[in-house]
Amino acid sequence: MSGHGTPIPMTSRACGPLQGAAQVPGDKSISHRALILGALSVGETRITGLLEGEDVLDTAKAMRAFGAEVTRDDDGMWHVHGVGVGGFAEPGHVIDCGNSGTGVRLIMGAMATCPISATFTGDASLNSRPMARVTDPLALFGTQSVGRAGGRLPMTIVGAADPVPVHYVVPVPSAQVKSAVLLAGLNAPGQTVVIEKEATRDHTERMLAGFGAEITTEVTDEGRVISLTGRPELRPQTIVVPRDPSSAAFPVCAALIVPGSDVLVPNIGLNPTRAGLFETLREMGADLTYENLREEGGEPVADLRARYSPALRGIEVPPARAASMIDEYPVLSVVAAFATGATVMRGVKELRVKESDRIAAMATGLRLNGVTVEDGPDWWTVHGLGHGNVPGGATCASHLDHRIAMSFMVLGMATQSPVSVDDGSPIATSFPIFEPLMAGLGAQIERVGA
Ligand code: S3P
């Protein structure tokens, strides 16, 4: 598990053109949900393309601990024999969700209306992240929780034996919170209603409908009003997980900044609640095209083609787009360093409570590498130096955060001097094949001392 083992320092240096096809792994958000909803249906759910990163493997282990049978066959297909809505058994041990905020928050929701208790923990990053955003709405169902000061893990959740449905307006733009409430609502009789003012990723709603739940979304003046009828019988599904746009972001952004590059990233999920980065890059002047746009398993999918883009311009990223690219700001800030002019990112307070404080982590590392960055509580600005002008040369802290580690590795591919991270091991949480995949395109990333 990342952060529990030996740190893996890594260095990335300027390389020749990146070329070829990058087969990035399955979508992390969809993979967690496929395992959890599979565990809540009666019968066998089959999943292909599941992300086999540490975060998702921890969720698979957790589903076993709650009584589901979860196996992988030699062809890479996952089989989940679920226990049905309300059928979770009490785990016989502490549930360790590793580095995964999505894993722990969704699982807390899924067990919150079952008459069982469970204790959750994670690595140092996860144990420092706020959980009250989930336990507050779960308390409305009748769920109890006891954690550390500030609502931190380790934490025990006592599920509601006699849950009531809830009506909840999500106070922060968070798909994790929305999903936790919806998953808890599954085992509450009657209608659970969740309202979000800003649209966040909607994989839970789409997948619940696919598993046969009665769920509707209405766009009103209040925001998106999502209504779920409790106690459905979920029907097992065959799920093909699309490839992860958040992982695609790394080879795409690398191709834009490395001279001469031309990279194809096939089969990328382009759900509009996830695709904000690509729109932003195009506004910055990126040579990024969608080829073969189609629909697969209820999600829009395309092949992304990214080519070296020497004339990138800094822009003001519309705050309304933040939720649709929340995990991509770190790597966007790297691209912004190679643009001309300032890239201003506002309305991004949530970045401060991710696997790390991502504004602080990126601002500090970019400054060490010669880039001017300003930041405030919910905004930051990167002053681009233009192609060929970013010095590099520094070692950055990854703070147990996969996306910070990968972003600095992308930075080093086009800086004057190599860029290092103190620990690349967290990359395995979401993108275990990052190093061989980038090497296959022509990148030069080395494990220091290996
Ligand atoms: C996720 C939602 C996002 C995102 C995370 C995955 C999900 O978090 O940052 O990596 O799968 O629901 P928030 O919903 O808390 O913003």
Side-chain angles (χ1 to χ4, degrees):
M1 196 168 306
S2 72
H4 295 189
T6 316
I8 304 177
M10 289 182 186
T11 296
S12 171
R13 63 189 71 246
C15 52
L18 299 175
Q19 276 163 344
Q23 306 284 355
V24 303
D27 189 280
K28 182 152 71 73
S29 293
I30 295 175
S31 295
H32 283 296
R33 288 158 171 82
L35 289 170
I36 295 170
L37 289 186
L40 291 173
S41 354
V42 180
E44 183 187 330
T45 286
R46 294 160 182 225
I47 311 167
T48 47
L50 189 87
L51 166 64
E52 295 179 351
E54 289 171 359
D55 279 11
V56 175
L57 298 178
D58 284 332
T59 289
K61 274 188 228 153
M63 291 303 98
R64 288 186 194 114
F66 283 101
E69 195 186 304
V70 183
T71 54
R72 177 194 193 276
D73 67 27
D74 293 343
D75 297 332
M77 182 184 276
W78 286 73
H79 303 258
V80 183
H81 289 266
V83 294
V85 168
F88 272 177
E90 188 161 87
H93 56 78
V94 171
I95 304 296
D96 189 340
C97 289
N99 192 250
S100 181
T102 308
V104 77
R105 291 178 175 135
L106 267 54
I107 297 167
M108 280 179 175
M111 59 75 55
T113 48
C114 298
I116 56 171
S117 299
T119 301
F120 295 88
T121 192
D123 68 7
S125 157
L126 188 58
N127 287 359
S128 69
R129 297 180 67 185
M131 294 298 145
R133 53 177 53 203
V134 170
T135 53
D136 286 352
L138 295 183
L140 305 174
F141 289 96
T143 307
Q144 292 170 285
S145 59
V146 188
R148 287 190 306 131
R152 308 287 199 250
L153 301 181
M155 179 175 277
T156 296
I157 304 283
V158 182
D162 209 359
V164 290
V166 312
H167 185 283
Y168 190 66
V169 181
V170 185
V172 284
S174 170
Q176 294 178 354
V177 175
K178 168 179 69 177
S179 302
V181 177
L182 289 171
L183 292 172
L186 275 178
N187 198 37
Q191 289 267 308
T192 285
V193 178
V194 186
I195 301 175
E196 58 176 5
K197 291 176 209 132
E198 294 166 56
T200 63
R201 65 192 69 193
D202 61 356
H203 305 300
T204 304
E205 298 93 301
R206 286 177 189 244
M207 208 183 276
L208 276 170
F211 273 81
E214 223 176 278
I215 182 165
T216 59
T217 301
E218 221 187 315
V219 181
T220 70
D221 292 346
E222 270 183 295
R224 283 159 44 91
V225 180
I226 304 151
S227 307
L228 171 73
T229 305
R231 306 243 161 111
E233 178 156 335
L234 298 182
R235 291 188 297 269
Q237 297 297 302
T238 298
I239 297 175
V240 180
V241 180
R243 296 174 192 265
D244 198 324
S246 300
S247 296
F250 296 100
V252 162
C253 289
L256 301 181
I257 62 171
V258 175
S261 297
D262 185 351
V263 169
L264 188 72
V265 194
N267 302 323
I268 299 304
L270 280 184
N271 179 316
T273 60
R274 296 288 298 283
L277 171 75
F278 305 126
E279 215 173 315
T280 300
L281 292 172
R282 297 218 277 202
E283 284 171 16
M284 293 173 78
D287 184 350
L288 173 62
T289 50
Y290 300 161
E291 299 181 355
N292 211 359
L293 200 53
R294 58 208 183 269
E295 180 144 329
E296 277 175 19
E299 299 272 351
V301 169
D303 305 335
L304 303 183
R305 182 152 188 195
R307 286 176 223 162
Y308 175 55
S309 304
L312 294 168
R313 305 173 292 279
I315 63 162
E316 174 124 8
V317 182
R321 197 180 287 161
S324 70
M325 52 179 288
I326 196 68
D327 291 334
E328 285 68 72
Y329 282 95
V331 74
L332 173 66
S333 71
V334 168
V335 174
F338 294 90
T340 49
T343 295
V344 185
M345 298 164 277
R346 295 186 206 280
V348 290
K349 195 165 65 196
E350 281 295 300
L351 290 180
R352 297 223 179 254
V353 290
K354 294 294 177 188
E355 285 82 332
S356 67
D357 174 343
R358 286 183 169 161
I359 298 177
M362 288 309 300
T364 304
L366 285 170
R367 286 178 193 130
L368 286 171
N369 284 287
V371 182
T372 301
V373 182
E374 297 168 86
D375 73 292
D378 71 343
W379 63 273
W380 50 322
T381 298
V382 175
H383 294 274
L385 292 166
H387 279 285
N389 301 328
V390 183
T395 299
C396 309
S398 63
H399 297 282
L400 289 181
D401 188 331
H402 52 134
R403 300 203 197 280
I404 300 300
M406 289 187 279
S407 296
F408 285 124
M409 291 297 90
V410 171
L411 178 71
M413 291 175 202
T415 44
Q416 292 163 351
S417 303
V419 173
S420 302
V421 287
D422 61 344
D423 183 12
S425 68
I427 293 171
T429 62
S430 70
F431 201 160
I433 58 164
F434 176 73
E435 293 162 84
L437 180 142
M438 293 308 305
L441 298 176
Q444 293 199 34
I445 299 175
E446 282 156 30
R447 293 188 174 203
V448 181

Short mmCIF file of all heavy atoms in Angstrom, two decimals, residues 28-29 32-33 102 105-106 129 133 173-177 179 200-201 203 326-327 350 354-355 358 403, ligand 1:
data_model
loop_
_atom_site.label_atom_id
_atom_site.label_comp_id
_atom_site.label_asym_id
_atom_site.label_seq_id
_atom_site.Cartn_x
_atom_site.Cartn_y
_atom_site.Cartn_z
N LYS A 28 -11.15 5.08 -12.53
CA LYS A 28 -11.11 4.78 -11.08
C LYS A 28 -12.50 4.96 -10.47
O LYS A 28 -12.95 4.11 -9.69
CB LYS A 28 -10.09 5.71 -10.41
CG LYS A 28 -9.91 5.47 -8.93
CD LYS A 28 -8.52 5.85 -8.46
CE LYS A 28 -8.28 7.35 -8.45
NZ LYS A 28 -8.98 8.04 -7.37
N SER A 29 -13.17 6.05 -10.81
CA SER A 29 -14.48 6.31 -10.21
C SER A 29 -15.47 5.20 -10.56
O SER A 29 -16.21 4.71 -9.72
CB SER A 29 -15.04 7.64 -10.74
OG SER A 29 -14.25 8.70 -10.27
N HIS A 32 -14.61 1.74 -8.72
CA HIS A 32 -15.11 1.63 -7.33
C HIS A 32 -16.61 1.33 -7.32
O HIS A 32 -17.09 0.47 -6.59
CB HIS A 32 -14.94 2.97 -6.60
CG HIS A 32 -13.56 3.30 -6.14
ND1 HIS A 32 -12.89 2.55 -5.20
CD2 HIS A 32 -12.73 4.32 -6.45
CE1 HIS A 32 -11.70 3.12 -4.96
NE2 HIS A 32 -11.58 4.19 -5.72
N ARG A 33 -17.34 2.08 -8.14
CA ARG A 33 -18.80 1.96 -8.13
C ARG A 33 -19.26 0.60 -8.65
O ARG A 33 -20.24 0.02 -8.16
CB ARG A 33 -19.42 3.09 -8.97
CG ARG A 33 -19.31 4.45 -8.25
CD ARG A 33 -19.40 5.59 -9.24
NE ARG A 33 -19.50 6.90 -8.61
CZ ARG A 33 -18.48 7.61 -8.14
NH1 ARG A 33 -17.24 7.12 -8.20
NH2 ARG A 33 -18.66 8.80 -7.60
N THR A 102 -12.44 8.20 -2.20
CA THR A 102 -13.64 7.70 -2.86
C THR A 102 -14.05 6.37 -2.25
O THR A 102 -15.22 6.17 -1.91
CB THR A 102 -13.39 7.51 -4.37
OG1 THR A 102 -12.85 8.72 -4.90
CG2 THR A 102 -14.66 7.15 -5.11
N ARG A 105 -15.43 6.83 1.44
CA ARG A 105 -16.68 7.59 1.57
C ARG A 105 -17.86 6.83 0.94
O ARG A 105 -18.95 6.81 1.49
CB ARG A 105 -16.51 8.98 0.97
CG ARG A 105 -15.55 9.84 1.82
CD ARG A 105 -15.34 11.20 1.21
NE ARG A 105 -14.53 12.07 2.06
CZ ARG A 105 -13.53 12.82 1.63
NH1 ARG A 105 -13.20 12.83 0.36
NH2 ARG A 105 -12.85 13.59 2.47
N LEU A 106 -17.62 6.20 -0.19
CA LEU A 106 -18.71 5.44 -0.82
C LEU A 106 -19.08 4.21 0.02
O LEU A 106 -20.26 3.88 0.18
CB LEU A 106 -18.32 5.02 -2.24
CG LEU A 106 -18.75 5.99 -3.36
CD1 LEU A 106 -18.28 7.40 -3.14
CD2 LEU A 106 -18.31 5.49 -4.73
N ARG A 129 -7.87 13.47 6.08
CA ARG A 129 -8.91 14.13 5.26
C ARG A 129 -10.25 14.20 5.99
O ARG A 129 -10.56 13.34 6.81
CB ARG A 129 -9.04 13.38 3.92
CG ARG A 129 -7.75 13.47 3.11
CD ARG A 129 -7.85 12.73 1.80
NE ARG A 129 -8.79 13.36 0.89
CZ ARG A 129 -9.12 12.84 -0.30
NH1 ARG A 129 -8.59 11.69 -0.68
NH2 ARG A 129 -9.97 13.45 -1.08
N ARG A 133 -18.08 15.64 6.16
CA ARG A 133 -18.91 15.93 4.99
C ARG A 133 -19.77 14.71 4.61
O ARG A 133 -20.79 14.85 3.94
CB ARG A 133 -18.03 16.36 3.82
CG ARG A 133 -16.92 15.39 3.51
CD ARG A 133 -16.08 15.78 2.31
NE ARG A 133 -15.55 17.13 2.36
CZ ARG A 133 -15.17 17.83 1.29
NH1 ARG A 133 -15.27 17.30 0.09
NH2 ARG A 133 -14.69 19.03 1.39
N PRO A 173 -19.26 20.99 -3.58
CA PRO A 173 -19.39 20.24 -4.84
C PRO A 173 -18.61 18.94 -4.73
O PRO A 173 -17.40 18.92 -4.93
CB PRO A 173 -18.77 21.19 -5.88
CG PRO A 173 -17.86 22.09 -5.11
CD PRO A 173 -18.38 22.16 -3.70
N SER A 174 -19.28 17.85 -4.36
CA SER A 174 -18.57 16.59 -4.15
C SER A 174 -19.41 15.40 -4.58
O SER A 174 -20.46 15.11 -4.01
CB SER A 174 -18.19 16.44 -2.67
OG SER A 174 -17.73 15.12 -2.45
N ALA A 175 -18.90 14.70 -5.60
CA ALA A 175 -19.58 13.48 -6.05
C ALA A 175 -19.47 12.39 -4.99
O ALA A 175 -20.31 11.50 -4.91
CB ALA A 175 -18.96 13.00 -7.35
N GLN A 176 -18.42 12.46 -4.19
CA GLN A 176 -18.27 11.45 -3.15
C GLN A 176 -19.37 11.59 -2.11
O GLN A 176 -19.96 10.60 -1.67
CB GLN A 176 -16.89 11.58 -2.49
CG GLN A 176 -15.76 11.24 -3.45
CD GLN A 176 -14.39 11.42 -2.82
OE1 GLN A 176 -14.26 11.90 -1.70
NE2 GLN A 176 -13.36 11.05 -3.55
N VAL A 177 -19.67 12.83 -1.72
CA VAL A 177 -20.72 13.05 -0.72
C VAL A 177 -22.08 12.67 -1.32
O VAL A 177 -22.87 11.94 -0.71
CB VAL A 177 -20.71 14.52 -0.24
CG1 VAL A 177 -21.88 14.78 0.69
CG2 VAL A 177 -19.38 14.84 0.45
N SER A 179 -22.70 10.63 -3.66
CA SER A 179 -22.79 9.18 -3.85
C SER A 179 -22.99 8.45 -2.53
O SER A 179 -23.73 7.47 -2.45
CB SER A 179 -21.52 8.66 -4.52
OG SER A 179 -21.34 9.31 -5.76
N THR A 200 -21.65 17.52 -10.34
CA THR A 200 -20.40 16.77 -10.18
C THR A 200 -20.56 15.46 -10.95
O THR A 200 -21.66 15.14 -11.43
CB THR A 200 -20.10 16.47 -8.70
OG1 THR A 200 -21.14 15.63 -8.19
CG2 THR A 200 -20.02 17.75 -7.88
N ARG A 201 -19.50 14.68 -11.01
CA ARG A 201 -19.54 13.46 -11.83
C ARG A 201 -20.76 12.61 -11.44
O ARG A 201 -21.08 12.47 -10.26
CB ARG A 201 -18.23 12.68 -11.72
CG ARG A 201 -17.91 12.12 -10.37
CD ARG A 201 -16.48 11.63 -10.30
NE ARG A 201 -15.55 12.75 -10.35
CZ ARG A 201 -14.25 12.65 -10.55
NH1 ARG A 201 -13.70 11.48 -10.74
NH2 ARG A 201 -13.47 13.71 -10.57
N HIS A 203 -21.51 9.30 -12.28
CA HIS A 203 -21.39 7.85 -12.54
C HIS A 203 -22.30 7.05 -11.60
O HIS A 203 -22.82 6.01 -12.00
CB HIS A 203 -19.96 7.38 -12.33
CG HIS A 203 -18.95 8.14 -13.13
ND1 HIS A 203 -18.97 8.20 -14.50
CD2 HIS A 203 -17.87 8.88 -12.75
CE1 HIS A 203 -17.95 8.93 -14.92
NE2 HIS A 203 -17.28 9.35 -13.88
N ILE A 326 -11.73 18.52 -11.58
CA ILE A 326 -11.14 18.79 -10.27
C ILE A 326 -9.82 18.05 -10.06
O ILE A 326 -8.89 18.57 -9.43
CB ILE A 326 -12.18 18.51 -9.13
CG1 ILE A 326 -11.72 19.15 -7.83
CG2 ILE A 326 -12.49 17.04 -8.98
CD1 ILE A 326 -11.71 20.64 -7.81
N ASP A 327 -9.70 16.84 -10.59
CA ASP A 327 -8.46 16.07 -10.38
C ASP A 327 -7.36 16.45 -11.38
O ASP A 327 -6.24 15.95 -11.27
CB ASP A 327 -8.75 14.57 -10.50
CG ASP A 327 -9.59 14.07 -9.33
OD1 ASP A 327 -9.53 14.69 -8.25
OD2 ASP A 327 -10.31 13.08 -9.51
N GLU A 350 -11.78 23.02 -3.11
CA GLU A 350 -11.77 21.57 -2.87
C GLU A 350 -10.38 20.96 -3.09
O GLU A 350 -10.07 19.91 -2.52
CB GLU A 350 -12.79 20.87 -3.77
CG GLU A 350 -14.22 20.99 -3.26
CD GLU A 350 -14.42 20.25 -1.94
OE1 GLU A 350 -14.21 19.03 -1.91
OE2 GLU A 350 -14.79 20.90 -0.94
N LYS A 354 -7.83 17.30 -1.03
CA LYS A 354 -7.68 16.05 -1.79
C LYS A 354 -6.61 15.17 -1.11
O LYS A 354 -6.32 15.37 0.06
CB LYS A 354 -7.32 16.38 -3.24
CG LYS A 354 -8.44 17.10 -3.98
CD LYS A 354 -9.64 16.21 -4.15
CE LYS A 354 -10.80 16.91 -4.82
NZ LYS A 354 -12.01 16.09 -4.79
N GLU A 355 -6.02 14.24 -1.85
CA GLU A 355 -5.00 13.36 -1.26
C GLU A 355 -3.91 14.19 -0.58
O GLU A 355 -3.25 13.73 0.35
CB GLU A 355 -4.41 12.43 -2.33
CG GLU A 355 -5.32 11.28 -2.76
CD GLU A 355 -6.37 11.66 -3.80
OE1 GLU A 355 -6.80 12.86 -3.85
OE2 GLU A 355 -6.77 10.78 -4.57
N ARG A 358 -3.53 20.21 -2.85
CA ARG A 358 -2.92 20.18 -4.19
C ARG A 358 -2.46 21.55 -4.65
O ARG A 358 -1.55 21.66 -5.48
CB ARG A 358 -3.89 19.54 -5.19
CG ARG A 358 -3.95 18.04 -5.00
CD ARG A 358 -4.83 17.35 -5.99
NE ARG A 358 -4.62 15.90 -5.89
CZ ARG A 358 -5.46 14.98 -6.34
NH1 ARG A 358 -6.58 15.35 -6.93
NH2 ARG A 358 -5.18 13.70 -6.21
N ARG A 403 -1.36 12.11 -8.06
CA ARG A 403 -1.46 13.10 -9.16
C ARG A 403 -0.37 14.17 -9.06
O ARG A 403 0.05 14.74 -10.07
CB ARG A 403 -2.85 13.72 -9.21
CG ARG A 403 -3.92 12.66 -9.44
CD ARG A 403 -5.19 13.17 -10.04
NE ARG A 403 -6.25 12.19 -9.84
CZ ARG A 403 -6.43 11.08 -10.59
NH1 ARG A 403 -5.64 10.84 -11.61
NH2 ARG A 403 -7.41 10.24 -10.32
C1 S3P B 1 -14.45 11.13 -7.11
C2 S3P B 1 -14.87 12.40 -6.85
C3 S3P B 1 -13.96 13.54 -6.67
C4 S3P B 1 -12.55 13.23 -7.15
C5 S3P B 1 -12.09 11.87 -6.75
C6 S3P B 1 -13.03 10.81 -7.29
C7 S3P B 1 -15.47 10.07 -7.23
O1 S3P B 1 -13.94 13.89 -5.31
O2 S3P B 1 -11.64 14.20 -6.67
O3 S3P B 1 -10.79 11.60 -7.25
O4 S3P B 1 -15.15 9.00 -7.77
O5 S3P B 1 -16.61 10.31 -6.81
P1 S3P B 1 -15.09 14.87 -4.72
O6 S3P B 1 -16.35 14.34 -5.22
O7 S3P B 1 -15.01 14.85 -3.24
O8 S3P B 1 -14.74 16.21 -5.31
#
